[in-house]
Amino acid sequence: MGDHVANPNTALKRTPLHGLHLELGAKMVPFAGWEMPVHYPMGVLREHLHTRAEAGLFDVSHMGQVILTCDPAALEAVVPVDVIGLAEGRQRYGIFTSDTGGILDDLMIANRGDHLFVVVNASMADQDISLLRDALGDAVQPITNRALLALQGPRSEDILAEVTLSCREMRFMDVATLPSPHGDLWVSRSGYTGEDGFEISVANDQAEALARALLAHPAVAPIGLGARDSLRLEAGLPLYGADLDRATTPAEAGLGWAIGKARRENRRDFPGAATILDQLAMGPARKRVGLLPRTRAPMRAGVTLFSSETAEMPIGTVTSGAFGPSLDAPISMGYVATEHAASGTVLFGELRGKRLPVSVTQLPFRPSTYKR
Amino acid sequence: MKYTEQHEWLDEDNGIVTVGITAHAAEQLGDIVFVELPEVGIEVSKDDEVVVIESVKAASDILAPLDGEIIEVNDPLTDDPGKVNEDPEGEAWFFKIKVEDLSDLDDYMDDAEYKDFIS
Protein backbone atom coordinates (compact mmCIF):
# COMPACT_ATOMS: atom_id res chain seq x y z
CA MET A 1 0.00 0.00 0.00
CA GLY A 2 1.12 3.56 -0.61
CA ASP A 3 3.21 4.47 2.39
CA HIS A 4 4.20 7.79 0.91
CA VAL A 5 0.86 9.09 -0.27
CA ALA A 6 0.06 12.34 1.51
CA ASN A 7 -3.17 12.20 3.46
CA PRO A 8 -5.34 14.89 1.88
CA ASN A 9 -7.14 15.36 5.18
CA THR A 10 -4.01 16.41 7.02
CA ALA A 11 -2.15 18.32 4.30
CA LEU A 12 -1.98 21.99 5.24
CA LYS A 13 -3.19 24.50 2.69
CA ARG A 14 -0.85 27.26 1.60
CA THR A 15 -1.72 30.82 0.61
CA PRO A 16 -0.36 32.46 -2.56
CA LEU A 17 2.12 34.32 -0.31
CA HIS A 18 3.70 31.15 1.11
CA GLY A 19 7.01 31.61 -0.74
CA LEU A 20 7.19 35.26 0.30
CA HIS A 21 6.63 34.36 3.97
CA LEU A 22 9.54 31.93 3.86
CA GLU A 23 11.72 34.49 2.10
CA LEU A 24 10.88 37.02 4.83
CA GLY A 25 11.97 34.52 7.50
CA ALA A 26 8.52 33.79 8.94
CA LYS A 27 7.98 31.08 11.50
CA MET A 28 5.17 29.04 9.94
CA VAL A 29 2.58 27.20 12.05
CA PRO A 30 -0.57 25.17 11.35
CA PHE A 31 -3.68 27.30 11.83
CA ALA A 32 -7.21 26.14 10.99
CA GLY A 33 -5.90 23.78 8.31
CA TRP A 34 -3.53 26.36 6.83
CA GLU A 35 0.20 26.89 7.09
CA MET A 36 0.44 30.49 8.29
CA PRO A 37 3.12 32.91 9.54
CA VAL A 38 2.89 33.36 13.34
CA HIS A 39 5.70 35.91 13.37
CA TYR A 40 8.63 37.20 11.37
CA PRO A 41 12.18 37.90 12.62
CA MET A 42 10.96 41.21 14.13
CA GLY A 43 9.02 39.22 16.74
CA VAL A 44 5.44 39.50 18.04
CA LEU A 45 6.08 42.42 20.40
CA ARG A 46 7.70 44.74 17.87
CA GLU A 47 5.34 43.65 15.09
CA HIS A 48 2.45 44.73 17.31
CA LEU A 49 4.00 48.11 18.14
CA HIS A 50 5.02 48.70 14.53
CA THR A 51 1.43 48.21 13.37
CA ARG A 52 0.18 50.81 15.87
CA ALA A 53 2.95 53.29 15.00
CA GLU A 54 3.25 52.84 11.21
CA ALA A 55 1.59 50.05 9.25
CA GLY A 56 1.53 46.26 9.17
CA LEU A 57 0.77 43.90 6.30
CA PHE A 58 -1.09 40.71 7.19
CA ASP A 59 -1.80 37.69 5.00
CA VAL A 60 -5.36 36.69 5.86
CA SER A 61 -5.93 34.60 2.74
CA HIS A 62 -6.93 31.67 4.95
CA MET A 63 -10.24 33.41 5.66
CA GLY A 64 -13.24 32.31 3.61
CA GLN A 65 -14.32 34.74 0.89
CA VAL A 66 -17.77 34.03 -0.50
CA ILE A 67 -19.92 35.78 -3.08
CA LEU A 68 -23.69 35.58 -2.65
CA THR A 69 -25.74 36.40 -5.73
CA CYS A 70 -29.02 36.20 -3.83
CA ASP A 71 -31.38 38.98 -2.87
CA PRO A 72 -30.13 40.64 0.38
CA ALA A 73 -33.37 39.59 2.08
CA ALA A 74 -32.51 35.92 1.53
CA LEU A 75 -29.35 36.14 3.67
CA GLU A 76 -31.48 37.42 6.54
CA ALA A 77 -32.73 33.84 6.97
CA VAL A 78 -29.39 32.83 8.57
CA VAL A 79 -28.09 36.05 10.15
CA PRO A 80 -29.88 38.44 12.53
CA VAL A 81 -28.26 41.37 10.74
CA ASP A 82 -30.19 44.05 8.85
CA VAL A 83 -28.93 43.06 5.40
CA ILE A 84 -31.79 44.72 3.53
CA GLY A 85 -30.80 48.03 5.11
CA LEU A 86 -27.13 47.65 4.13
CA ALA A 87 -26.42 50.28 1.48
CA GLU A 88 -24.41 49.55 -1.65
CA GLY A 89 -20.72 50.17 -0.98
CA ARG A 90 -21.05 49.48 2.74
CA GLN A 91 -20.02 46.62 5.01
CA ARG A 92 -21.49 45.43 8.30
CA TYR A 93 -20.35 43.06 11.07
CA GLY A 94 -22.58 40.03 11.47
CA ILE A 95 -23.05 36.70 13.18
CA PHE A 96 -24.60 33.38 12.25
CA THR A 97 -26.96 32.14 14.97
CA SER A 98 -28.30 28.70 15.82
CA ASP A 99 -31.91 27.73 16.55
CA THR A 100 -31.06 27.81 20.26
CA GLY A 101 -29.62 31.31 20.07
CA GLY A 102 -25.90 30.44 20.08
CA ILE A 103 -23.30 32.04 17.85
CA LEU A 104 -22.16 29.75 15.00
CA ASP A 105 -19.55 32.17 13.64
CA ASP A 106 -18.99 35.86 13.05
CA LEU A 107 -18.50 37.40 9.63
CA MET A 108 -18.32 40.56 7.55
CA ILE A 109 -21.11 41.25 5.07
CA ALA A 110 -20.54 43.73 2.22
CA ASN A 111 -23.04 45.03 -0.32
CA ARG A 112 -21.14 45.21 -3.60
CA GLY A 113 -24.06 46.27 -5.77
CA ASP A 114 -25.09 43.27 -7.81
CA HIS A 115 -23.97 40.82 -5.12
CA LEU A 116 -23.15 40.41 -1.45
CA PHE A 117 -19.59 39.54 -0.42
CA VAL A 118 -18.97 37.87 2.92
CA VAL A 119 -15.75 36.97 4.75
CA VAL A 120 -15.88 34.17 7.33
CA ASN A 121 -13.37 32.63 9.73
CA ALA A 122 -11.02 30.00 8.28
CA SER A 123 -11.82 27.54 11.07
CA MET A 124 -15.57 27.76 10.38
CA ALA A 125 -15.57 28.20 6.60
CA ASP A 126 -16.81 24.66 5.82
CA GLN A 127 -19.68 24.96 8.29
CA ASP A 128 -20.60 28.44 7.08
CA ILE A 129 -20.59 27.57 3.38
CA SER A 130 -22.72 24.54 4.10
CA LEU A 131 -25.28 26.52 6.09
CA LEU A 132 -25.32 29.24 3.44
CA ARG A 133 -25.92 26.62 0.74
CA ASP A 134 -28.78 25.12 2.74
CA ALA A 135 -30.44 28.53 2.79
CA LEU A 136 -29.37 30.01 -0.55
CA GLY A 137 -28.44 27.10 -2.82
CA ASP A 138 -26.54 27.97 -5.98
CA ALA A 139 -26.31 31.65 -5.05
CA VAL A 140 -23.33 30.71 -2.84
CA GLN A 141 -19.98 30.98 -4.65
CA PRO A 142 -16.87 30.40 -2.54
CA ILE A 143 -13.93 32.38 -3.95
CA THR A 144 -10.73 30.37 -4.21
CA ASN A 145 -8.91 32.42 -6.84
CA ARG A 146 -8.35 35.47 -4.66
CA ALA A 147 -6.00 36.15 -1.76
CA LEU A 148 -6.86 38.49 1.13
CA LEU A 149 -4.37 40.97 2.60
CA ALA A 150 -4.88 43.41 5.45
CA LEU A 151 -2.95 46.66 5.69
CA GLN A 152 -3.43 48.12 9.17
CA GLY A 153 -2.09 51.11 11.06
CA PRO A 154 -2.01 54.91 10.85
CA ARG A 155 0.10 55.03 7.67
CA SER A 156 -2.15 52.62 5.76
CA GLU A 157 -3.99 55.19 3.68
CA ASP A 158 -0.82 56.90 2.44
CA ILE A 159 0.72 53.57 1.54
CA LEU A 160 -2.28 52.05 -0.24
CA ALA A 161 -2.82 55.35 -2.08
CA GLU A 162 0.46 54.71 -3.91
CA VAL A 163 -1.14 51.59 -5.39
CA THR A 164 -4.68 52.86 -5.76
CA LEU A 165 -5.30 56.55 -5.10
CA SER A 166 -9.06 56.43 -4.61
CA CYS A 167 -8.73 54.49 -1.36
CA ARG A 168 -8.41 57.96 0.22
CA GLU A 169 -12.10 58.59 -0.40
CA MET A 170 -13.21 55.59 1.63
CA ARG A 171 -14.29 55.80 5.26
CA PHE A 172 -14.63 53.10 7.92
CA MET A 173 -16.67 50.12 6.65
CA ASP A 174 -16.87 51.37 3.06
CA VAL A 175 -16.25 48.78 0.34
CA ALA A 176 -15.23 49.44 -3.26
CA THR A 177 -13.63 47.89 -6.32
CA LEU A 178 -10.46 49.88 -6.98
CA PRO A 179 -8.28 49.63 -10.09
CA SER A 180 -4.55 49.05 -9.52
CA PRO A 181 -1.45 47.82 -11.35
CA HIS A 182 -2.28 44.46 -9.76
CA GLY A 183 -5.75 44.23 -11.21
CA ASP A 184 -9.05 45.16 -9.61
CA LEU A 185 -8.81 45.17 -5.82
CA TRP A 186 -11.88 44.52 -3.69
CA VAL A 187 -11.14 46.86 -0.83
CA SER A 188 -12.89 47.47 2.49
CA ARG A 189 -11.79 50.06 5.03
CA SER A 190 -11.83 47.78 8.05
CA GLY A 191 -9.72 45.29 9.93
CA TYR A 192 -9.12 43.38 13.13
CA THR A 193 -6.61 45.56 14.98
CA GLY A 194 -8.52 48.63 16.18
CA GLU A 195 -6.48 50.70 13.72
CA ASP A 196 -7.51 52.48 10.57
CA GLY A 197 -6.69 50.23 7.65
CA PHE A 198 -7.86 48.20 4.70
CA GLU A 199 -8.65 44.61 3.80
CA ILE A 200 -7.79 43.91 0.19
CA SER A 201 -8.97 40.99 -1.92
CA VAL A 202 -6.62 40.46 -4.88
CA ALA A 203 -6.34 37.82 -7.62
CA ASN A 204 -4.08 34.94 -6.50
CA ASP A 205 -1.62 35.53 -9.33
CA GLN A 206 -1.24 39.21 -8.39
CA ALA A 207 -1.11 38.76 -4.61
CA GLU A 208 2.65 38.45 -4.25
CA ALA A 209 3.32 41.44 -6.53
CA LEU A 210 0.87 43.54 -4.52
CA ALA A 211 2.38 42.39 -1.20
CA ARG A 212 5.89 43.24 -2.46
CA ALA A 213 4.73 46.67 -3.67
CA LEU A 214 3.25 47.44 -0.22
CA LEU A 215 6.27 46.01 1.65
CA ALA A 216 8.58 48.18 -0.46
CA HIS A 217 7.28 51.17 1.48
CA PRO A 218 9.63 51.78 4.43
CA ALA A 219 6.71 52.17 6.88
CA VAL A 220 5.33 48.68 6.19
CA ALA A 221 6.41 45.53 8.02
CA PRO A 222 4.98 42.02 7.56
CA ILE A 223 2.97 40.99 10.62
CA GLY A 224 2.10 37.45 11.75
CA LEU A 225 -0.86 35.87 13.50
CA GLY A 226 0.77 36.36 16.92
CA ALA A 227 0.58 40.15 16.77
CA ARG A 228 -2.79 39.95 15.04
CA ASP A 229 -4.08 38.28 18.21
CA SER A 230 -2.64 40.82 20.67
CA LEU A 231 -3.81 43.71 18.46
CA ARG A 232 -7.39 42.46 18.30
CA LEU A 233 -7.41 41.73 22.03
CA GLU A 234 -6.32 45.29 22.90
CA ALA A 235 -9.07 46.49 20.54
CA GLY A 236 -11.60 44.42 22.51
CA LEU A 237 -12.55 42.35 19.46
CA PRO A 238 -13.73 38.80 20.20
CA LEU A 239 -12.19 35.79 18.46
CA TYR A 240 -14.51 33.01 17.33
CA GLY A 241 -13.58 29.70 18.97
CA ALA A 242 -12.08 31.52 21.98
CA ASP A 243 -14.47 34.29 23.05
CA LEU A 244 -17.47 33.24 20.97
CA ASP A 245 -18.93 29.79 20.38
CA ARG A 246 -22.23 28.02 19.85
CA ALA A 247 -22.88 27.96 23.61
CA THR A 248 -22.61 31.76 23.77
CA THR A 249 -25.47 34.09 22.87
CA PRO A 250 -25.26 37.57 21.31
CA ALA A 251 -26.46 39.23 24.52
CA GLU A 252 -23.81 37.46 26.61
CA ALA A 253 -21.13 38.40 24.09
CA GLY A 254 -22.17 42.06 24.02
CA LEU A 255 -23.02 41.81 20.33
CA GLY A 256 -26.63 42.99 20.55
CA TRP A 257 -25.61 46.06 18.54
CA ALA A 258 -25.06 43.81 15.50
CA ILE A 259 -28.78 42.96 15.50
CA GLY A 260 -30.35 45.99 13.87
CA LYS A 261 -33.58 47.63 15.03
CA ALA A 262 -35.40 46.30 11.96
CA ARG A 263 -34.53 42.72 12.96
CA ARG A 264 -35.55 43.25 16.60
CA GLU A 265 -38.85 44.93 15.85
CA ASN A 266 -40.07 43.78 12.45
CA ARG A 267 -38.17 41.01 10.70
CA ARG A 268 -37.75 38.72 13.71
CA ASP A 269 -37.38 35.64 11.52
CA PHE A 270 -33.77 34.60 12.19
CA PRO A 271 -32.51 31.40 13.87
CA GLY A 272 -32.83 31.57 17.65
CA ALA A 273 -34.80 34.83 17.51
CA ALA A 274 -37.08 34.09 20.47
CA THR A 275 -34.22 33.27 22.84
CA ILE A 276 -31.93 36.01 21.57
CA LEU A 277 -34.51 38.80 21.67
CA ASP A 278 -35.76 37.74 25.11
CA GLN A 279 -32.24 37.80 26.46
CA LEU A 280 -31.48 41.18 24.90
CA ALA A 281 -34.60 42.57 26.59
CA MET A 282 -34.12 40.92 30.01
CA GLY A 283 -30.31 41.00 30.19
CA PRO A 284 -28.07 37.93 30.17
CA ALA A 285 -26.86 36.04 33.26
CA ARG A 286 -23.23 36.45 32.22
CA LYS A 287 -21.35 39.01 30.17
CA ARG A 288 -18.19 39.37 28.17
CA VAL A 289 -15.89 41.85 29.90
CA GLY A 290 -12.35 43.16 29.77
CA LEU A 291 -10.06 42.05 32.58
CA LEU A 292 -6.93 43.85 33.76
CA PRO A 293 -4.69 41.62 35.88
CA ARG A 294 -3.23 43.72 38.71
CA THR A 295 0.11 41.89 38.65
CA ARG A 296 2.31 41.47 35.60
CA ALA A 297 1.35 37.80 35.24
CA PRO A 298 -0.75 37.27 32.07
CA MET A 299 -4.02 35.39 32.63
CA ARG A 300 -4.65 33.26 29.58
CA ALA A 301 -7.67 31.35 28.29
CA GLY A 302 -8.98 28.85 30.82
CA VAL A 303 -8.08 30.77 34.00
CA THR A 304 -10.99 30.48 36.45
CA LEU A 305 -12.33 33.62 38.13
CA PHE A 306 -13.62 33.94 41.70
CA SER A 307 -15.29 36.81 43.59
CA SER A 308 -12.80 36.61 46.48
CA GLU A 309 -9.60 34.90 47.54
CA THR A 310 -11.58 32.25 49.42
CA ALA A 311 -14.83 31.82 47.45
CA GLU A 312 -15.45 28.22 46.42
CA MET A 313 -17.72 28.73 43.43
CA PRO A 314 -16.19 30.21 40.27
CA ILE A 315 -18.07 33.18 38.80
CA GLY A 316 -16.34 33.32 35.45
CA THR A 317 -13.61 32.24 33.06
CA VAL A 318 -10.94 33.93 30.96
CA THR A 319 -11.43 33.20 27.24
CA SER A 320 -8.48 35.18 25.80
CA GLY A 321 -5.42 36.55 27.52
CA ALA A 322 -2.07 37.92 26.49
CA PHE A 323 0.44 40.62 27.13
CA GLY A 324 -0.76 43.88 25.58
CA PRO A 325 2.33 45.54 24.11
CA SER A 326 0.71 48.97 23.62
CA LEU A 327 -0.54 48.96 27.21
CA ASP A 328 2.69 47.41 28.48
CA ALA A 329 0.53 45.24 30.69
CA PRO A 330 -1.24 41.90 30.61
CA ILE A 331 -4.85 41.99 29.36
CA SER A 332 -7.62 39.41 29.23
CA MET A 333 -11.17 38.99 28.05
CA GLY A 334 -13.67 36.62 29.58
CA TYR A 335 -17.16 35.93 30.81
CA VAL A 336 -18.34 36.76 34.34
CA ALA A 337 -21.70 36.49 36.08
CA THR A 338 -23.61 39.74 35.50
CA GLU A 339 -23.60 40.71 39.19
CA HIS A 340 -19.79 40.80 39.03
CA ALA A 341 -19.54 42.45 35.60
CA ALA A 342 -19.52 46.14 36.62
CA SER A 343 -16.40 48.05 35.67
CA GLY A 344 -14.01 48.35 38.59
CA THR A 345 -15.11 45.11 40.27
CA VAL A 346 -12.07 43.27 41.64
CA LEU A 347 -12.07 39.52 40.99
CA PHE A 348 -9.45 36.84 41.51
CA GLY A 349 -7.99 34.62 38.83
CA GLU A 350 -6.51 31.30 39.86
CA LEU A 351 -3.05 31.00 38.39
CA ARG A 352 -0.62 28.21 39.31
CA GLY A 353 -2.56 27.57 42.53
CA LYS A 354 -2.57 31.23 43.58
CA ARG A 355 -5.45 33.69 43.42
CA LEU A 356 -4.30 36.96 41.88
CA PRO A 357 -6.41 40.14 41.68
CA VAL A 358 -7.86 41.26 38.37
CA SER A 359 -10.11 44.27 37.67
CA VAL A 360 -13.15 44.17 35.44
CA THR A 361 -12.90 46.91 32.84
CA GLN A 362 -14.74 48.14 29.77
CA LEU A 363 -13.67 47.07 26.30
CA PRO A 364 -11.76 48.10 24.31
CA PHE A 365 -8.55 48.41 26.31
CA ARG A 366 -7.35 50.94 23.79
CA PRO A 367 -9.66 53.25 21.80
CA SER A 368 -9.90 52.42 18.11
CA THR A 369 -8.65 54.91 15.52
CA TYR A 370 -11.05 54.14 12.66
CA LYS A 371 -11.57 56.85 10.03
CA ARG A 372 -15.28 57.49 10.43
CA MET B 1 29.54 25.82 31.87
CA LYS B 2 26.94 23.02 32.03
CA TYR B 3 23.56 22.73 30.31
CA THR B 4 20.28 20.95 31.11
CA GLU B 5 17.83 19.43 28.65
CA GLN B 6 15.43 22.21 29.72
CA HIS B 7 17.90 24.67 28.13
CA GLU B 8 19.21 26.11 31.37
CA TRP B 9 22.86 27.09 31.67
CA LEU B 10 24.63 26.41 34.97
CA ASP B 11 27.73 28.38 35.90
CA GLU B 12 29.45 27.00 39.01
CA ASP B 13 31.83 29.05 41.10
CA ASN B 14 32.95 27.97 44.57
CA GLY B 15 29.90 25.84 45.34
CA ILE B 16 27.44 28.43 44.04
CA VAL B 17 25.66 27.78 40.75
CA THR B 18 24.20 30.66 38.72
CA VAL B 19 21.24 29.58 36.54
CA GLY B 20 19.79 31.16 33.41
CA ILE B 21 18.36 30.06 30.07
CA THR B 22 20.35 29.70 26.88
CA ALA B 23 20.17 32.06 23.91
CA HIS B 24 18.65 29.18 21.96
CA ALA B 25 15.82 28.85 24.51
CA ALA B 26 15.23 32.61 24.64
CA GLU B 27 14.91 32.72 20.88
CA GLN B 28 12.50 29.78 20.80
CA LEU B 29 10.32 31.33 23.52
CA GLY B 30 10.04 34.69 21.77
CA ASP B 31 9.59 38.00 23.58
CA ILE B 32 9.56 37.40 27.34
CA VAL B 33 6.91 39.52 29.07
CA PHE B 34 6.81 38.12 32.61
CA VAL B 35 9.29 36.62 35.07
CA GLU B 36 8.42 35.34 38.55
CA LEU B 37 11.44 34.55 40.71
CA PRO B 38 11.66 32.38 43.84
CA GLU B 39 12.15 33.75 47.36
CA VAL B 40 15.67 34.08 48.61
CA GLY B 41 16.46 31.58 51.36
CA ILE B 42 14.19 28.72 50.32
CA GLU B 43 15.52 25.18 50.06
CA VAL B 44 14.71 23.55 46.74
CA SER B 45 14.97 20.02 45.39
CA LYS B 46 16.04 19.08 41.90
CA ASP B 47 13.12 19.49 39.43
CA ASP B 48 11.10 21.82 41.69
CA GLU B 49 9.47 24.60 39.65
CA VAL B 50 11.31 27.68 40.82
CA VAL B 51 10.82 30.31 38.11
CA VAL B 52 7.84 31.07 35.88
CA ILE B 53 8.53 32.85 32.64
CA GLU B 54 5.95 33.88 30.09
CA SER B 55 6.57 34.92 26.55
CA VAL B 56 4.10 36.43 24.13
CA LYS B 57 3.35 32.82 23.17
CA ALA B 58 3.05 30.82 26.41
CA ALA B 59 4.05 30.22 30.01
CA SER B 60 6.94 27.93 30.92
CA ASP B 61 8.61 26.78 34.11
CA ILE B 62 12.27 26.79 35.01
CA LEU B 63 13.16 23.79 37.18
CA ALA B 64 15.75 23.70 39.92
CA PRO B 65 18.67 21.79 38.35
CA LEU B 66 20.10 20.69 41.70
CA ASP B 67 19.22 20.36 45.39
CA GLY B 68 20.23 23.44 47.35
CA GLU B 69 19.36 26.84 48.78
CA ILE B 70 18.38 29.87 46.70
CA ILE B 71 20.80 32.53 47.93
CA GLU B 72 20.20 35.32 45.42
CA VAL B 73 17.70 36.21 42.67
CA ASN B 74 18.00 38.70 39.81
CA ASP B 75 15.20 41.06 40.93
CA PRO B 76 15.51 43.62 38.08
CA LEU B 77 14.19 40.97 35.66
CA THR B 78 10.75 41.26 37.25
CA ASP B 79 10.40 44.83 35.97
CA ASP B 80 12.34 44.28 32.77
CA PRO B 81 11.57 40.77 31.50
CA GLY B 82 12.74 41.74 28.00
CA LYS B 83 16.31 41.56 29.32
CA VAL B 84 16.03 37.77 29.02
CA ASN B 85 15.85 38.17 25.24
CA GLU B 86 18.61 40.77 25.13
CA ASP B 87 21.25 39.06 27.23
CA PRO B 88 20.09 35.57 28.27
CA GLU B 89 23.56 34.18 28.93
CA GLY B 90 24.88 37.28 30.71
CA GLU B 91 22.97 39.88 32.68
CA ALA B 92 19.66 38.00 32.62
CA TRP B 93 20.52 35.15 35.00
CA PHE B 94 17.58 34.06 37.18
CA PHE B 95 18.94 32.83 40.51
CA LYS B 96 21.98 31.55 42.37
CA ILE B 97 21.78 28.29 44.22
CA LYS B 98 24.18 27.02 46.89
CA VAL B 99 24.60 23.28 46.39
CA GLU B 100 25.85 20.60 48.74
CA ASP B 101 26.84 17.98 46.23
CA LEU B 102 28.63 19.39 43.20
CA SER B 103 29.03 15.93 41.69
CA ASP B 104 25.39 16.20 40.53
CA LEU B 105 26.62 18.73 37.98
CA ASP B 106 28.46 15.95 36.19
CA ASP B 107 25.12 14.61 34.91
CA TYR B 108 24.60 17.69 32.74
CA MET B 109 25.85 18.45 29.23
CA ASP B 110 28.99 20.40 28.44
CA ASP B 111 29.24 22.97 25.63
CA ALA B 112 29.84 20.46 22.84
CA GLU B 113 27.08 18.11 24.03
CA TYR B 114 24.57 20.96 24.30
CA LYS B 115 25.46 22.19 20.83
CA ASP B 116 24.72 18.68 19.54
CA PHE B 117 21.51 18.55 21.58
CA ILE B 118 20.01 21.65 19.95
CA SER B 119 21.15 20.92 16.42
Side-chain angles (χ1 to χ4, degrees), chain A residues 76-81 97-99 259 263-264 267-274 276-277 280:
Chain A
E76 291 199 351
V78 287
V79 298
V81 180
T97 50
S98 74
D99 289 336
I259 303 172
R263 302 307 306 274
R264 295 184 191 214
R267 306 193 301 276
R268 305 168 56 130
D269 51 347
F270 54 85
I276 290 169
L277 295 173
L280 283 172

Side-chain angles (χ1 to χ4, degrees), chain A residues 9 49 56 67 69 82 96 120 127 142 152 173 175 198 200 204-205 233 244 318 323 345:
Chain A
N9 296 318
L49 295 170
I67 281 182
T69 56
D82 180 2
F96 291 109
V120 302
Q127 167 206 276
Q152 302 279 295
M173 291 296 229
V175 297
F198 300 88
I200 309 153
N204 280 344
D205 59 6
L233 185 54
L244 307 175
V318 173
F323 181 78
T345 307

Side-chain angles (χ1 to χ4, degrees), chain A residues 178-193:
Chain A
L178 304 181
S180 86
H182 312 287
D184 278 354
L185 308 178
W186 302 351
V187 179
S188 70
R189 193 154 197 165
S190 56
Y192 195 45
T193 60

